[in-house]
Amino acid sequence: MVATGATSFFPVTSSLPDSGGNKLGSGSTNLGGLKSKHTSSGGLQVKANAHAPPKINGTKVSTSVENFKHGDVLPSSQSSRTFINQLPDWSMLLAAITTIFLAAEKQWMMLDWKPRRSDMLIDPFGIGKIVQDGLVFSENFPIRSYEIGADRTASIDTIMNHLQETALNHVKIVGLLGDGFGSTPEMCKKNLIWVVARMQVVVDRYPTWGDVVHVETWVSASGKNGMRRDWLLRDYNTGEILTRASSVWVMMNKHTRKLSKIPEEVREEIGSYFVESAPILEEDDRKLTKLDDNTADYIRSGLSPRWSDLDVNQHVNNVKYIGWILESAPQSILESHELCAMTLEYRRECGKDSVLKSLTAVSDANVGNPAQNGHIECKHMLQLEDGAEIVRGRTKWRPKPVNNFDIVNLVPAGSN
């Protein structure tokens, strides 16, 4: 409709006499702004000249009519001109605008305007970001189907992997990631790597499949030669706190496999990122006791790392140790309870050729029907076959939510 209006600004009449009595069929004629000339085919071509209005902002503007010298004869067609055909030639501009509007309308109609659930509007898959004056790093993670267990909640391994991923991305995004696994450039020059010495985790609630978790992490000094890293894991949609974790890290020479002090060059490199704050968890300073074949209630032996269990520093990932510790936990507890707190002390690293043994002692003697006994505490030990300690630990378990028991009952009963 707009295009039609644009082309109707300049009507062409079938015959128009000139001032000299000549017909349009002979010669070239000026029609007060309409210039006509013959073509080889005898047709008439019409060209429109734009005319400005007589006045613009109070200033008189001369027109083609005023430009005629005294004594010139004004073409008779001038008297028949109307306001419409005095307008400038806007046809090409209007045609372009029409084309743009038609293209925009087509794109608009192609959009999918179906209503979406609030959880579908989340974009949690990008790299995280630095917040709170550049000292805290945050990142979002969706809980995927392969990260949940039989009770439809995320496993402790999933939670720990999210914490570790956030820590590494924190180092990366601030520009301190060298060639090593979380090592800074100065650490790489001195063949140093970070190793975890202590880990404490409290899980208030496990996320379920489809949830999105928001993880925040920051670092602080820990003594003279250590670094503390804390995490806070929340539900992305509600802000509910799901997990709190605190850890202590020390440096080790990746060639000699011995612990090292933090060099001054490294301290200057990372010191500006330290936060002066108390640990997010009150430290459980109870001594972790040693277990052996006589004091353990459950033993699982013959555990060995697979190639996929090694990280880029060529030692077993610390998250794998948690899975080995739980290998000796009684099946009755795993089915009716969920892990709600954990304290681990890492004493030695494990290599690709190591063979390990997992030991567990249950502090509550009434394990026949643990679903009725409330919270249960267990002591753990992970050691090499020759008795060398790898990890000491303590776990606390709470009864699973009532709506999970029907799912748990589908698991065949059994015990280690």
Side-chain angles (χ1 to χ4, degrees), residues 220-369:
S220 307
S222 178
K224 294 182 178 180
N225 291 295
M227 180 185 72
R228 189 184 80 243
R229 178 175 286 279
D230 292 341
W231 293 271
L232 181 63
L233 189 149
R234 300 175 182 268
D235 184 289
Y236 180 88
N237 293 314
T238 66
E240 175 191 0
I241 295 178
L242 304 178
T243 302
R244 293 161 291 158
S246 185
S247 60
V248 176
W249 298 73
V250 294
M251 289 190 178
M252 184 178 74
N253 188 292
K254 67 179 181 180
H255 295 317
T256 65
R257 316 308 286 186
K258 293 182 179 180
L259 298 182
S260 169
K261 294 182 179 180
I262 300 180
E264 285 303 318
E265 296 85 351
V266 177
R267 195 181 301 275
E268 293 176 359
E269 195 175 37
I270 64 178
S272 61
Y273 298 98
F274 283 176
V275 178
E276 294 183 4
S277 65
I280 195 171
L281 289 174
E282 183 179 352
E283 184 178 355
D284 184 355
D285 56 2
R286 292 178 296 165
K287 184 178 180 180
L288 297 173
T289 58
K290 182 178 181 179
L291 295 179
D292 55 31
D293 292 355
N294 296 323
T295 57
D297 298 319
Y298 302 89
I299 300 175
R300 178 72 181 272
S301 57
L303 302 173
S304 59
R306 298 172 297 179
W307 177 256
S308 59
D309 296 329
L310 303 179
D311 60 25
V312 297
N313 291 324
Q314 298 301 308
H315 69 186
V316 175
N317 188 290
N318 65 83
V319 178
K320 183 62 181 179
Y321 294 150
I322 299 173
W324 281 336
I325 285 175
L326 300 182
E327 283 287 339
S328 59
Q331 186 74 23
S332 56
I333 293 180
L334 296 176
E335 290 180 358
S336 59
H337 284 62
E338 63 182 11
L339 181 65
C340 61
M342 173 177 60
T343 302
L344 302 175
E345 286 183 358
Y346 295 84
R347 296 176 170 251
R348 187 189 302 266
E349 67 174 336
C350 173
K352 61 180 180 180
D353 298 324
S354 302
V355 180
L356 300 93
K357 182 164 54 175
S358 177
L359 302 92
T360 295
V362 181
S363 60
D364 190 342
N366 298 321
V367 296
N369 188 11

Side-chain angles (χ1 to χ4, degrees), residues 4-302:
T4 305
T7 56
S8 65
F9 282 150
F10 302 99
V12 179
T13 57
S14 57
S15 63
L16 190 60
D18 62 5
S19 58
N22 296 328
K23 302 291 184 180
L24 289 177
S26 62
S28 169
T29 309
N30 187 341
L31 301 180
L34 293 178
K35 296 179 179 180
S36 62
K37 63 180 179 179
H38 286 289
T39 62
S40 59
S41 59
L44 178 67
Q45 292 184 348
V46 180
K47 181 177 180 182
N49 291 333
H51 296 281
K55 288 186 179 181
I56 298 179
N57 294 331
T59 303
K60 185 176 181 181
V61 180
S62 61
T63 62
S64 59
V65 177
E66 296 171 347
N67 289 334
F68 279 100
K69 296 180 180 179
H70 181 70
D72 289 346
V73 180
L74 186 67
S76 60
S77 61
Q78 187 71 28
S79 60
S80 64
R81 295 178 61 195
T82 64
F83 173 76
I84 292 299
N85 49 30
Q86 291 183 52
L87 291 177
D89 185 2
W90 298 103
S91 58
M92 295 187 64
L93 177 61
L94 290 173
I97 293 175
T98 302
T99 303
I100 293 173
F101 273 110
L102 290 175
E105 182 182 16
K106 182 177 180 181
Q107 293 296 323
W108 183 275
M109 297 301 293
M110 291 174 63
L111 292 176
D112 182 9
W113 292 105
K114 289 195 231 178
R116 298 178 182 271
R117 302 194 314 268
S118 59
D119 59 333
M120 296 175 65
L121 301 177
I122 299 171
D123 181 19
F125 310 111
I127 193 66
K129 60 183 179 179
I130 294 291
V131 296
Q132 298 186 20
D133 299 327
L135 299 177
V136 178
F137 177 78
S138 66
E139 189 170 1
N140 299 329
F141 297 93
I143 303 301
R144 306 184 186 278
S145 60
Y146 52 80
E147 295 175 325
I148 63 174
D151 52 1
R152 300 182 184 179
T153 60
S155 64
I156 187 63
D157 289 358
T158 296
I159 301 299
M160 299 304 295
N161 282 325
H162 288 167
L163 302 186
Q164 178 173 276
E165 180 70 10
T166 308
L168 291 173
N169 286 337
H170 183 194
V171 178
K172 180 179 180 180
I173 203 169
V174 299
L176 290 179
L177 186 64
D179 295 333
F181 198 51
S183 299
T184 67
E186 286 295 330
M187 291 175 62
C188 293
K189 293 177 183 179
K190 301 179 183 300
N191 298 314
L192 297 174
I193 60 176
W194 288 112
V195 291
V196 61
R198 183 180 177 88
M199 177 74 71
Q200 187 175 348
V201 182
V202 173
V203 181
D204 297 320
R205 182 178 70 82
Y206 284 91
T208 60
W209 177 30
D211 287 348
V212 176
V213 295
H214 177 77
V215 185
E216 295 181 351
T217 184
W218 59 94
V219 291
S220 307
S222 178
K224 294 182 178 180
N225 291 295
M227 180 185 72
R228 189 184 80 243
R229 178 175 286 279
D230 292 341
W231 293 271
L232 181 63
L233 189 149
R234 300 175 182 268
D235 184 289
Y236 180 88
N237 293 314
T238 66
E240 175 191 0
I241 295 178
L242 304 178
T243 302
R244 293 161 291 158
S246 185
S247 60
V248 176
W249 298 73
V250 294
M251 289 190 178
M252 184 178 74
N253 188 292
K254 67 179 181 180
H255 295 317
T256 65
R257 316 308 286 186
K258 293 182 179 180
L259 298 182
S260 169
K261 294 182 179 180
I262 300 180
E264 285 303 318
E265 296 85 351
V266 177
R267 195 181 301 275
E268 293 176 359
E269 195 175 37
I270 64 178
S272 61
Y273 298 98
F274 283 176
V275 178
E276 294 183 4
S277 65
I280 195 171
L281 289 174
E282 183 179 352
E283 184 178 355
D284 184 355
D285 56 2
R286 292 178 296 165
K287 184 178 180 180
L288 297 173
T289 58
K290 182 178 181 179
L291 295 179
D292 55 31
D293 292 355
N294 296 323
T295 57
D297 298 319
Y298 302 89
I299 300 175
R300 178 72 181 272
S301 57

